[in-house]
Amino acid sequence: ALEMDLSENSAAYKMREKMCKLWTDFTKFGSPTSDLSWKPVIDDLNYFILDTVVGMEKNINKERMDFWRKSYCQWSDMLKSKL
């Protein structure tokens, strides 16, 4: 069995509290953050950091995503014609 320190000062307790708050806000307001700082994924590839600090970031692994976008644009028409 996995045992975790869930005393009020532990990292696991704080994360549990954050997760409960985010899910509760999402259920109530349609957004996990009550200040509406959460943004859906769009072209910037917004993503939500859920760690000791919580917040929005964008363009995770930008170089990799650019590679796959370019490859898709280059090859998608040829691949569609083969299907």
Side-chain angles (χ1 to χ4, degrees):
L2 179 64
E3 292 186 31
M4 299 181 89
D5 175 17
L6 290 176
S7 61
E8 286 191 38
N9 292 326
S10 71
Y13 178 86
K14 290 174 184 175
M15 181 57 72
R16 182 182 70 176
E17 293 299 303
K18 283 180 195 176
M19 290 296 296
C20 287
K21 175 88 171 104
L22 291 168
W23 277 111
T24 301
D25 285 351
F26 184 75
T27 304
K28 286 181 182 177
F29 309 115
S31 173
T33 55
S34 57
D35 65 358
L36 302 177
S37 63
W38 177 79
K39 295 178 178 35
V41 173
I42 54 172
D43 290 336
D44 290 348
L45 295 177
N46 296 325
Y47 64 98
F48 196 73
I49 297 284
L50 184 56
D51 204 341
T52 53
V53 175
V54 175
M56 293 297 301
E57 295 287 333
K58 63 182 174 180
N59 286 327
I60 189 170
N61 299 322
K62 181 176 179 358
E63 295 80 18
R64 291 181 189 177
M65 293 306 297
D66 289 345
F67 168 81
W68 287 111
R69 283 182 177 142
K70 181 179 175 185
S71 297
Y72 177 78
C73 290
Q74 181 179 359
W75 295 100
S76 65
D77 290 336
M78 185 201 67
L79 293 173
K80 286 178 190 174
S81 68
K82 300 284 183 190
L83 297 176

